Amino acid sequence: DAAKVVGKGGADVLVRVNRPWRMLMADLEASIWPEVGGICLPKVDSAELIEFVDEVVGELEIERGIEPGTTRYMVLIETPRGYANARAIAHASPRIDGITLGQEDFCAAMGMRTESSFLIPYMQQIAVCAREAGVLPIGYPGSIVDFTDLDAFRASAEKARALGFEGGSAIHPRQVDVLNQAFMPTDQELDWSEGVVAAYDKALAEGVGAVTYEGKMIDVPVVERGRHMLAIRDKIQARG
């Protein structure tokens, strides 16, 4: 019933389950329904955990008349062991859509503070593992718990986007608009993307070897960056 209410406006519904085995099993039984698009898996420390969850989720989908593979995963890396196994975890299941470093738990386990400069190297490694596996790197450097300082929160989100991350978690409604603004390409970026893509496509159609835009040479990686930003815009617009 709660999932129906949450998804009323068209949002994807994910349920955050718990990690201890007995709680995890009870939570999966309670969470896998047609109204739920995915689950958020905390404290993932091995690919074997994902494989085990896959088996249970697959059985529940069949039992409840859900198309197998429908339920997606958002994976949280929150322990040193999980961090060490991040690449294997990222490849563990085609259900995985996103991976994030759980800042608070990871820092507590490491005995370190949740300052941006300390977290960035760990986050970049998670991003590499995610991209190599074809899933989204999610998150931002800094603490998630301070929802009163929105300027600091915005700065962390903008830094994350500059590092290649594509979204973040919120624990308070005030943070949602900040995240949407930070991870949405700006009007200036979209204008540049449209121009670059148009110039490249035109040159390609005309058989021109070297392409320039606004006085700079553009090649495939530059064009792909532009296409990626336009794809993000299109996906957001499609959601209304």
Side-chain angles (χ1 to χ4, degrees):
D1 292 341
K4 289 177 183 176
V5 173
V6 173
K8 225 174 182 181
D12 293 326
V13 180
L14 279 77
V15 177
R16 186 194 183 283
V17 296
N18 289 288
R19 174 62 177 90
W21 286 109
R22 290 171 64 192
M23 295 178 73
L24 175 58
M25 289 303 96
D27 285 353
L28 290 176
E29 290 279 353
S31 301
I32 307 304
W33 298 103
E35 296 81 8
V36 175
I39 54 175
C40 185
L41 286 167
K43 297 289 179 73
V44 175
D45 54 15
S46 69
E48 289 75 18
L49 171 64
I50 298 292
E51 292 165 3
F52 179 82
V53 171
D54 258 4
E55 183 176 339
V56 176
V57 169
E59 290 176 0
L60 289 169
E61 285 177 332
I62 292 171
E63 287 176 12
R64 296 172 183 181
I66 304 169
E67 180 71 24
T70 297
T71 307
R72 316 302 294 173
Y73 301 157
M74 174 69 180
V75 173
L76 277 69
I77 304 294
E78 301 183 278
T79 64
R81 184 179 179 220
Y83 179 80
N85 292 328
R87 185 171 186 265
I89 290 169
H91 285 274
S93 172
R95 295 178 184 269
I96 298 175
D97 276 348
I99 300 180
T100 187
L101 183 73
Q103 311 102 304
E104 301 294 338
D105 285 271
F106 183 75
C107 287
M110 291 290 291
M112 58 186 274
R113 298 197 302 269
T114 57
E115 293 175 18
S116 174
S117 58
F118 298 158
L119 278 164
I120 285 175
Y122 298 99
M123 290 188 63
Q124 287 178 310
Q125 180 62 23
I126 295 297
V128 170
C129 293
R131 292 296 186 188
E132 196 247 350
V135 301
L136 292 178
I138 305 294
Y140 41 82
S143 175
I144 192 175
V145 298
D146 186 2
F147 58 84
T148 58
D149 190 345
L150 292 183
D151 289 337
F153 185 70
R154 186 186 308 277
S156 290
E158 290 174 348
K159 190 173 292 184
R161 181 170 176 252
L163 290 169
F165 288 79
E166 297 208 15
S169 299
I171 62 168
H172 191 279
R174 294 176 65 194
Q175 296 174 316
V176 175
D177 282 343
V178 174
L179 289 173
N180 287 340
Q181 292 166 14
F183 286 101
M184 171 68 180
T186 65
D187 290 342
Q188 183 178 2
E189 287 173 325
L190 291 173
D191 288 343
W192 174 85
S193 298
E194 288 177 343
V196 163
V197 171
Y200 184 81
D201 287 347
K202 181 174 182 292
L204 201 64
E206 295 173 350
V208 177
V211 188
T212 61
Y213 180 70
E214 294 183 343
K216 297 180 180 178
M217 188 194 81
I218 57 175
D219 55 8
V220 173
V222 175
V223 176
E224 288 305 310
R225 189 161 68 245
R227 292 193 197 281
H228 183 67
M229 282 194 274
L230 295 177
I232 293 173
R233 177 202 62 191
D234 294 343
K235 287 178 182 178
I236 292 172
Q237 290 178 347
R239 299 300 296 266

